[in-house]
Amino acid sequence: MIRALAALAGWLALVSASAPMPVAQDVITGDTLPRSLSEFRFFTDGIGHSPNDRVRPYALNTPLFSDYALKNRFVYVPEGQTATYNADGVFEFPVGSALIKSFGYPADFRDPDSEIRWLETRVLLRRDSGWVALPYVWNEDGSDATLRRAGRRMPVSWIDANGETQEISYRVPNQNQCKTCHARDDEIALIGPNARNLNDGVRLAQWVDWSILDQAPDDAPRVPVWDDPGSGTLDERARAYLDINCAHCHEREGSASNSGLFLSYNEDQTVARGILKRPVAAGRGSGGRDFDIEPGHPERSIFVYRMQSRDPGIAMPELGRGMLHDEGIALIEEYIAAMDEQS
Amino acid sequence: MKSIVAIGAMLLASTSAIAAIHTVEAGPDAQERLQTALIEAEPGDTVQIGAGRFELTDGLSLDVDNVSVRGAGPDESILDFTNQVGSGEGLMVTSDDVVLHGFAIENTRGDGIKSKEANRIVYDNLRVEWTNGPDASNGAYGIYPVESTHVLVQNSRVIGASDAGIYVGQSQQIVVRHNMVTHNVAGIEIENSFFADVYENMATENTGGILVFDLPNLPQMGGHSVRVFNNLIQDNNTDNFAPEGNIVAGVPAGTGVMVMANRNVHVFENVIQDHGTSNVMLVAYTEEFDDPNYEPTIRDVVVRDNVQGRAGYAPDFEGGEQLAAAVGGTLPPVLWDGIGDNIIVNDQVPVLSLGLTSAGQALSEAQPSMAEIASEETPDAPEAVVLPASMEAALQ
């Protein structure tokens, strides 16, 4: 009897190992706020390394800077459905879809094999009512992550690419702060997964192959990789950088709509792009400078001043930037310096 | 008797089922507990902030409609952001029908309380303060509603803002009353807004007392229909401590009321006195701009029936001293750049016109002279702003 039970248990273990339970569709579309990330079954392991069936990793041409954190992005679209391609904005995902993004730091950025400490996983769930954004914080042993709607601060340290030790108080955003960046006309919206930022020549077709996306036109727009001069002009790379790092708020329907500063990739009004635009409600953020961008003069441009500050009353972006992005600052300085002073 | 108790209990039960009170006391983890209450509140609920000092490191935010946030009083419940390391403001509200009442926000790195696209918001009996007094390193705005319809700011104190104490921007249907604003760069500022009543406030010891501005290149422009009346605007002579580059950094110390690039603004029945530069300044926007939809001049401005005291004895702008010397030692209490249509001053005080003819013209081209712009026929003031009854009811 005992032997039979043991055999049965072994068989069950074998079956469950070979055929993991699929993603919990009903949890995504339900009206609860699951306490644990594992309830979604996005991953077959606790730590969030091994994606479940139909959970696909992806990257962006030019990603958002978040204090040098490493990010793993995954997309999930329910079986039998696809997201709808859109050349201009983000794709339209069917109800039941989810976007999953994990944040962590390797112990040593110089060593690709060094242990990564995963801090949090943010999920966006497409429900009937719209998108819902939830932050999950990983427990110490990495076995699961717990919902923290109010966010959290945690001390983090790592060795950076130059071999220097960095320490910060890492901020997991609260649920409202998710919305600060993800708001469009007061609704939660996606930021990254649009045609131009996903399109690397291969990825859109791959998404169609995986039956995540309905079509991948040959003429899909494409933004460059911000730090790869081979992928676009200086102007294009700077615009791509500002698009992903700033335009989630600095957009006509975004959280910073009242500023009149609009940095979407295709914004064509020069003043709206910051060129010879005076500050409105910048407070200390103006730094004694007259214009967001003074062509030819990064050292006289508010953009650079705010990127160079860690002070929460000055720093831009307001959220998720406790550190300076040295390489990003260099790009924007170069972009402004190269502008014709007469323009 | 018993049945009354039973009914009372039932009422209590049903009330709590409809509207819960989430009480948060000071102490460890205040950040997470307070933010959790603000997230978990349902429409109709109250987040009750206990007495004491709440040490906070990050901005708080509220995004649920019809929630009241109430403290034990502006000197009792203190949200202390002295050690703030994240977020651009202390409290951010992005939902409608919110009432904020009875607490203080201290020493935020950026703005104090901001509300954006938050219609029918009530700010009542609050204190926002930078406790070290005027300092360029203070946050910009104390109370900062923007892009909203129906805004009420009352019975509040704002001290030490490095831009404006109470700043209402790109909004409409606004009432700002019974507030005390001191030691800010601008005491109260109404910017790019329509239909505002600013009355029975006390604005003292700011750089400028009450400003009504319109700026270019913004989603909402063409500010108009503002009444500034029954205020005490006195001794706003604090040196301008705004960080350079801000538009208010150009406001001369010693300014009582300043109207810039607005239409249909009526300033009446105020007490305006003891201003080194000017009790009332009426001017066009002077910077260059590239915006075909922007109108930089003032139009239909009426200044009447104010009690005006001493002014113009220490003009704080380039050439001011020479100008004062040329007109007898002190500047007249009302200063007009000379630009704009239908400008009326009926205060029985002298008005100095700079004699400029177009917005942005250099001061060196001024042709100052005393202006006679009184009129027996004064146009009607904008109609009183009427707020929805729900906003007044929310205060009961």
Side-chain angles (χ1 to χ4, degrees):
Chain A
M1 181 68 184
I2 287 170
R3 271 179 72 171
L5 272 179
L8 184 62
W11 179 78
L12 279 172
L14 204 66
V15 168
S16 58
S18 59
M21 295 279 283
V23 166
Q25 189 65 55
D26 54 331
V27 179
I28 296 177
T29 51
D31 57 5
T32 63
L33 304 178
R35 217 185 102 67
S36 301
L37 183 66
S38 56
E39 292 178 44
F40 294 102
R41 297 197 297 267
F42 290 130
F43 305 104
T44 53
D45 58 345
I47 197 74
H49 282 165
S50 310
N52 205 340
D53 194 31
R54 289 192 70 79
V55 176
R56 296 289 188 169
Y58 71 96
L60 298 170
N61 292 343
T62 290
L64 170 69
F65 172 76
S66 307
D67 287 341
Y68 289 102
L70 211 62
K71 299 182 209 176
N72 272 355
R73 297 175 186 78
F74 299 92
V75 55
Y76 168 78
V77 174
E79 181 85 50
Q81 301 196 62
T82 56
T84 308
Y85 176 86
N86 171 353
D88 300 321
V90 288
F91 298 156
E92 180 65 37
F93 284 84
V95 170
S97 299
L99 292 168
I100 307 120
K101 184 155 77 162
S102 297
F103 294 70
Y105 289 89
D108 187 339
F109 271 84
R110 298 166 306 176
D111 173 8
D113 295 325
S114 71
E115 192 187 350
I116 297 169
R117 178 182 168 201
W118 293 104
L119 302 169
E120 57 155 331
T121 294
R122 304 176 192 172
V123 302
L124 278 159
L125 312 172
R126 181 70 172 88
R127 293 182 163 174
D128 270 332
S129 54
W131 288 98
V132 175
L134 299 174
Y136 288 84
V137 175
W138 284 95
N139 56 21
E140 286 292 326
D141 64 11
S143 58
D144 203 351
T146 306
L147 179 63
R148 295 282 176 196
R149 298 177 74 187
R152 172 155 286 202
R153 276 197 176 273
M154 15 195 194
V156 184
S157 71
W158 67 91
I159 297 169
D160 71 14
N162 300 320
E164 286 174 30
T165 300
Q166 299 287 351
E167 284 178 47
I168 62 166
S169 167
Y170 181 89
R171 175 69 187 168
V172 177
N174 70 51
Q175 202 180 339
N176 290 342
Q177 290 173 323
C178 298
K179 191 173 167 184
T180 303
C181 294
H182 285 275
R184 281 291 171 281
D185 268 343
D186 211 34
E187 296 288 315
I188 290 201
L190 304 181
I191 298 170
N194 55 32
R196 62 177 181 266
N197 209 359
L198 282 170
N199 181 15
D200 65 350
V202 178
R203 192 175 295 116
L204 295 180
Q206 203 173 39
W207 278 37
V208 172
D209 282 348
W210 289 339
S211 48
I212 287 175
L213 183 63
D214 62 342
Q215 53 165 315
D218 289 338
D219 62 349
R222 178 172 175 177
V223 297
V225 178
W226 68 281
D227 58 351
D228 175 6
S231 70
T233 65
L234 174 61
D235 189 71
E236 288 165 345
R237 287 186 295 119
R239 279 177 175 242
Y241 183 86
L242 296 172
D243 183 53
I244 197 72
N245 281 283
C246 314
H248 44 80
C249 289
H250 283 283
E251 202 247 11
R252 282 184 167 74
E253 282 79 39
S255 297
S257 58
N258 55 299
S259 67
L261 178 67
F262 304 128
L263 297 170
S264 298
Y265 191 71
N266 295 318
E267 176 63 49
D268 54 8
Q269 289 187 20
T270 57
V271 179
R273 290 205 65 81
I275 297 169
L276 295 178
K277 182 184 187 305
R278 292 177 192 281
V280 182
R284 292 187 297 128
S286 63
R289 304 178 182 193
D290 289 334
F291 303 106
D292 286 339
I293 291 177
E294 187 169 337
H297 293 282
E299 79 291 355
R300 300 212 293 252
S301 298
I302 293 170
F303 267 36
V304 175
Y305 180 72
R306 303 195 80 161
M307 290 177 75
Q308 283 173 331
S309 177
R310 264 187 290 266
D311 182 327
I314 298 171
M316 281 286 159
E318 286 185 352
L319 302 177
R321 195 175 71 65
M323 300 193 74
L324 306 188
H325 188 201
D326 294 330
E327 300 80 4
I329 294 168
L331 173 70
I332 298 307
E333 285 179 326
E334 199 185 345
Y335 161 68
I336 296 173
M339 282 182 192
D340 184 351
E341 290 190 32
Q342 303 306 312
S343 68
Chain B
M1 186 65 198
K2 221 174 167 181
S3 64
I4 290 174
V5 172
I7 290 167
M10 274 171 62
L11 277 174
L12 273 176
S14 64
T15 312
S16 65
I18 295 164
I21 296 176
H22 309 256
T23 303
V24 182
E25 302 293 353
D29 300 326
Q31 182 85 42
E32 195 162 341
R33 289 184 292 113
L34 194 45
Q35 185 59 62
T36 300
L38 293 169
I39 286 172
E40 292 183 347
E42 302 273 350
D45 288 0
T46 295
V47 173
Q48 183 76 44
I49 305 173
R53 190 169 282 276
F54 293 69
E55 310 275 353
L56 303 167
T57 56
D58 287 272
L60 300 165
S61 54
L62 173 63
D63 189 43
V64 184
D65 290 343
N66 191 20
V67 167
S68 291
V69 181
R70 290 174 178 272
D75 296 307
E76 303 300 323
S77 298
I78 299 160
L79 308 183
D80 182 351
F81 290 89
T82 303
N83 297 314
Q84 186 177 10
V85 286
S87 310
E89 59 280 310
L91 171 62
M92 175 80 168
V93 178
T94 49
S95 46
D96 296 336
D97 299 294
V98 166
V99 177
L100 307 174
H101 169 91
F103 58 88
I105 299 258
E106 286 186 2
N107 299 332
T108 52
R109 301 299 298 150
D111 303 315
I113 309 175
K114 179 176 178 181
S115 53
K116 181 172 184 292
E117 293 177 63
N119 298 328
R120 296 174 302 283
I121 189 164
V122 176
Y123 290 84
D124 179 48
N125 195 29
L126 302 169
R127 176 172 61 90
V128 179
E129 180 166 5
W130 285 269
T131 55
N132 60 336
D135 190 325
S137 69
N138 292 351
Y141 300 135
I143 289 176
Y144 176 17
V146 65
E147 288 190 332
S148 302
T149 298
H150 294 123
V151 172
L152 173 58
V153 181
Q154 64 174 14
N155 305 329
S156 295
R157 276 179 290 157
V158 184
I159 303 148
S162 71
D163 196 314
I166 296 170
Y167 171 100
V168 185
Q170 302 182 61
S171 294
Q172 47 188 313
Q173 307 293 342
I174 299 149
V175 173
V176 177
R177 66 187 176 201
H178 310 160
N179 301 287
M180 228 172 85
V181 284
T182 66
H183 298 99
N184 308 285
V185 173
I188 296 169
E189 185 171 355
I190 306 294
E191 192 168 276
N192 292 58
S193 288
F194 316 146
F195 310 110
D197 277 353
V198 180
Y199 62 93
E200 292 166 19
N201 301 283
M202 206 169 112
T204 64
E205 294 179 83
N206 306 285
T207 300
I210 298 179
L211 315 183
V212 183
F213 279 15
D214 203 63
L215 300 179
N217 299 114
L218 290 175
Q220 177 169 307
M221 291 183 295
H224 66 81
S225 306
V226 178
R227 302 193 307 164
V228 176
F229 60 102
N230 292 0
N231 300 284
L232 175 62
I233 305 162
Q234 176 174 295
D235 187 23
N236 293 288
N237 292 302
T238 297
D239 282 346
N240 195 321
F241 61 99
E244 277 180 56
N246 281 290
I247 197 82
V248 295
V251 174
T255 299
V257 174
M258 185 165 170
V259 179
M260 182 176 80
N262 245 264
R263 176 172 63 80
N264 200 17
V265 178
H266 287 236
V267 179
F268 57 97
E269 295 171 13
N270 303 282
V271 173
I272 316 176
Q273 57 192 2
D274 295 326
H275 293 105
T277 298
S278 178
N279 279 340
V280 179
M281 195 181 296
L282 308 173
V283 294
Y285 179 74
T286 57
E287 308 287 352
E288 275 184 51
F289 62 91
D290 172 14
D291 186 342
N293 301 314
Y294 178 68
E295 174 52 58
T297 66
I298 51 171
R299 292 137 288 144
D300 305 320
V301 173
V302 176
V303 178
R304 65 167 171 89
D305 302 314
N306 300 288
V307 173
Q308 291 210 33
R310 202 164 76 102
Y313 48 87
D316 177 39
F317 57 89
E318 212 178 319
E321 269 183 50
Q322 293 90 319
L323 190 59
V327 295
T330 59
L331 293 178
V334 179
L335 201 57
W336 175 38
D337 62 5
I339 304 163
D341 293 329
N342 202 16
I343 314 301
I344 296 169
V345 178
N346 279 355
D347 268 359
Q348 299 177 346
V349 295
V351 177
L352 180 69
S353 168
L354 296 179
L356 298 174
T357 53
S358 65
Q361 201 176 0
L363 261 185
S364 58
E365 294 173 31
Q367 300 195 318
S369 66
M370 303 313 289
E372 294 294 336
I373 49 174
S375 169
E376 291 198 354
E377 284 182 26
T378 51
D380 291 339
E383 284 184 21
V385 173
V386 179
L387 297 173
S390 64
M391 292 176 72
E392 306 276 359
L395 291 165
Q396 301 311 309

